[in-house]
Amino acid sequence: MARSDLLDDQALHASSVVANCAMNRERQLAGVNSYARELGFDPLAWLTAVAQVHSDVGWLDLCCGSGRALIQAATRLRPGEATLVGLDLVDAFAPGTAGSGPTLVAAPVETWTPPRAFDLITCVHGLHYVGDKLAVLSRVVRWLTPVGRFVADLDLSSIQFADGQPAGRRLTSRLRAAGIEYDARRRRISCTGPRDLGLPFTYLGADDRAGANYTGQPAVHSYYSAT
């Protein structure tokens, strides 16, 4: 693929594949179509356990869709027990955020910066629609508290070099060297505590015509050169 065929962030955000993504619009906190099922653990139970150790725990949900899972979590936590923040490119948030509900922010994940560190950061299927996936990962893992947990879906086949060759094996080695775990079967990335990735890749642009990924939904491929 020629470099001129790739999209920058501005063009990607206007893409129907990205702007109209409905992956998390109806996803619940628990149950069949839920965060607990997708992440492999119960976020609410995690927050409650951390809250036993220190106060003002925080959960940041990136690409949160409607924010439904955060809203449900807020109703099950004691007032002031946790700070809940959701971020999504599109302002399509569900009602019910007034008062003690979560803070829901419409902004690009590539440029937004949180006001604090978090004990839990999640991104359920959101990285499929991000252009510079590696830059976002590098920023996000710095937002963790020392005991903070980061868990996200990541399809390494969507990260490629300019000639279309996958960066998978080389990238996986770099991630693991930085203390990042990658579950290839579940296509899930995770770590505990802040990390400095220092990945030797330069972002070239994105392709929103990659077609469906393993979820069955259209996704975005990200292209890099090795440095």
Side-chain angles (χ1 to χ4, degrees):
M1 176 178 292
R3 183 171 178 174
S4 60
D5 293 330
L6 301 178
L7 303 178
D8 60 17
D9 283 347
Q10 184 176 1
L12 188 63
H13 292 167
S15 164
S16 61
V17 171
V18 175
N20 294 332
C21 171
M23 286 293 289
N24 284 341
R25 292 288 183 261
E26 302 300 325
R27 202 179 305 280
Q28 311 288 315
L29 182 63
V32 176
N33 181 25
S34 70
Y35 273 54
R37 179 167 181 170
E38 293 295 328
L39 296 172
F41 70 98
D42 183 350
L44 186 61
W46 170 265
L47 290 175
T48 301
V50 175
Q52 303 302 313
V53 180
H54 66 86
S55 60
D56 191 26
V57 299
W59 176 14
L60 170 62
D61 187 28
L62 302 171
C63 307
C64 68
S66 66
R68 193 176 303 276
L70 290 171
I71 294 170
Q72 292 173 350
T75 65
R76 302 175 193 181
L77 293 165
R78 296 189 302 271
E81 185 176 7
T83 297
L84 307 178
V85 179
L87 180 75
D88 200 88
L89 178 65
V90 179
D91 184 354
F93 304 128
T97 60
S100 60
T103 299
L104 300 178
V105 181
V109 66
E110 298 90 344
T111 56
W112 180 80
T113 301
R116 55 163 290 168
F118 289 88
D119 303 282
L120 177 61
I121 302 178
T122 56
C123 188
V124 177
H125 295 300
L127 290 175
H128 306 323
Y129 308 98
V130 170
D132 193 350
K133 296 173 175 59
L134 300 184
V136 168
L137 283 174
S138 296
R139 298 181 74 232
V140 168
V141 295
R142 297 191 190 106
W143 302 341
L144 292 165
T145 65
V147 298
R149 185 177 187 181
F150 168 67
V151 186
D153 298 292
L154 179 63
D155 184 5
L156 289 188
S157 68
S158 69
I159 301 176
Q160 303 181 5
F161 293 118
D163 61 1
Q165 292 298 310
R169 183 172 297 180
R170 180 173 180 180
L171 176 57
T172 301
S173 297
R174 286 284 184 169
L175 291 173
R176 288 175 175 161
I180 306 293
E181 297 181 12
Y182 184 69
D183 186 330
R185 183 172 69 87
R186 295 183 175 86
R187 297 179 180 86
R188 184 182 296 157
I189 191 169
S190 63
C191 72
T192 299
R195 303 287 172 179
D196 184 3
L197 299 190
L199 298 174
F201 304 104
T202 299
Y203 180 58
L204 302 176
D207 178 18
D208 66 346
R209 299 163 298 171
N213 67 1
Y214 70 97
T215 67
Q217 299 294 320
V220 171
H221 280 182
S222 305
Y223 289 84
Y224 295 84
S225 62
T227 57

